[in-house]
Amino acid sequence: MNLKKLILTENACYKTGRTITPKGIMVHSTGANNPSLKRYVGPDDGLLGKNQNNNHWNQDRPDGRQVCVHGFIGKLADGSVATYQTLPWNRRGWHCGSGPNGSGNDTHISFEICEDGLADAAYFNAVYNEAAELCAYLCKEYKLDPAASGVLIGHFEGFSRGIASNHGDPNNWFPRHGKSMNTFRADVIKLLTVNEEPKLEASAATPATKTPAAPTNEEVIWNFFAGKGLNAYAIAGIMGNLYAESGLKPNNLQNSFEKSLGYSDDSYTAAVDSGAYANFVKDSAGYGLAQWTYYTRKQALLDFSKAAGASIGDLAMQLGYLWAELQNYSAVMSVLNSAASVKQSSDAVLTGFEKPADQSDAVKVKRANFGQGYYDKFAAKAGSTPVPSVPASAVKDGSTPAPSAPASAVKDGDTVKLADIVMYYDGKPIPAWIKSQNWIVKSVKGDRAVIDKNVSGSNSINSPVNTKYLTVAGGSAAAAQVPPPTFQPYTVKVVADSLNIRKGAGTNNSVVGAISDKGVYTIVEESSGAGASKWGKLKSGAGWISLDFVQKR
């Protein structure tokens, strides 16, 4: 990567001084036939060349627009390709607008790839590779997982997610050269994998040591998911299912197809890799760790392997694909992210992800027991809380006992708040409207609390949740209904040249006016909302303004 820096300090975006905690990266392309960096980055630093029109973005509002990104990729004056950082990576940019679910400006680092006529393959490959290296660098810097849902996206994907305006870049360009955001993500993952491999240096002074044994598939898989932040219960539940499907062999061809196709595991894999066998996608044969069978999933696996430059039977590649695929199963990920037992996570993977024809209780018990074996083998080594011992008399029909719960601080009659990741005791999701309210605990037994009425008495759900998701907000309904301190109106001075007034608190509300006099106004109410750290309601009743562009008096 040829990374340089020229911060656009004269741009109004930079001057606002707002920062973000980067949660992702959004890829843009300029939509104009001009690959020269000097069109957007300036003034000339001796490498860019002079912009004769002086229309670069290092000015208050370039071309009269509120636009600014964190970087540009394109050509220097000598024709070579480079990346220019133009905002601090944690500065809030103006790059994607907003949508019904908020704005990517608040969450994503952004960069523009300077388009040419879209037909030059050499230029495309150069900027594509430069962009992949930049993303790998940023992912490592900010601990971002490019395989996770919504982390590394194009502008067009931001629009489909409801956090960006309606633009098609870079999907207007990548497919012309056989690329897509899926191949781009895979290439970034590959770069990260290569960069993380340890580099060993030989030394004459270093005594010879025995080469450590290569890690087993079990160890690789456990460590992979541990690196994604999953707890031991979740990892064990996944591994029990993968063992049931493939024996943890990434080149496993479904046994019933070996005879009909005339291939072994190894020969089938080699034939797919070489192209000698062209019916991998539609032969209906289960393959790999998860025994992918359906043609769309096998096509995506094949695309992923080709983008990574890896064998279709490569373990690391399949784990990367499996993780990326799991992000599309939100209900399963919700359970895995807060798993409280091997059985809970195993059942979620079985019924929500693998979905075999037989999902009977017997199969659930069998797979959970496989998972329990991996938990017992790896959890203590990983420093996880071991499974508490349970008397043999408590175990029935060979099922895996759930770990006993610690004593709960939540008591009958308490008013409680629900954590954002809360779910019902049986693992089913809880609607957002329930999570947004405080509830009164009807009864508590171990880690199982039944929440009944909300504090206003307007709703009753009589449902069980795990006490670990509850925070005591008061000892009774009456205590919870003590009114909060009265809001005290205050005045602010507008510092933006033009500040939109919106119908409600958030950029997802319509614009009903604007303030252009940098005057002093009274705020009578505050609220959270998309597109700003806080919104304030004007005393006049005209609407709401972003408090990020005012100074409190």
Side-chain angles (χ1 to χ4, degrees), residues 1 32 84 120 124 128 131 203 209 239 289 360 374 483:
M1 178 174 58
Y84 267 75
D120 186 338
F124 173 80
Y128 177 92
S203 171
T209 58
M239 290 182 66
L289 285 176
S360 64
Y374 291 116

Side-chain angles (χ1 to χ4, degrees), residues 347-481:
D347 286 355
V349 174
L350 170 68
T351 61
F353 179 75
E354 289 291 356
K355 301 180 181 180
D358 187 356
Q359 299 178 25
S360 64
D361 288 343
V363 171
K364 290 179 180 178
V365 169
K366 184 177 181 180
R367 294 197 177 199
N369 283 339
F370 287 152
Q372 188 67 46
Y374 291 116
Y375 184 98
D376 294 340
K377 183 173 182 178
F378 292 107
K381 185 188 297 185
S384 303
T385 304
V387 176
S389 59
V390 178
S393 60
V395 182
K396 299 179 181 179
D397 303 325
S399 60
T400 304
S404 58
S408 170
V410 178
K411 302 179 182 64
D412 296 5
D414 279 344
T415 298
V416 292
K417 295 180 179 178
L418 279 62
D420 287 340
I421 60 171
V422 67
M423 62 186 67
Y424 288 120
Y425 199 82
D426 62 2
K428 293 180 180 178
I430 293 180
W433 72 268
I434 293 178
K435 291 190 285 186
S436 67
Q437 302 183 44
N438 288 357
W439 297 85
I440 301 167
V441 175
K442 182 178 181 180
S443 63
V444 180
K445 186 175 181 180
D447 65 348
R448 186 178 186 274
V450 176
I451 56 175
D452 188 13
K453 297 183 184 299
N454 61 357
V455 293
S456 66
S458 59
N459 293 102
S460 179
I461 58 174
N462 196 34
S463 301
V465 298
N466 193 303
T467 55
K468 71 179 181 178
Y469 297 121
L470 306 179
T471 302
V472 178
S476 68
Q481 294 182 58

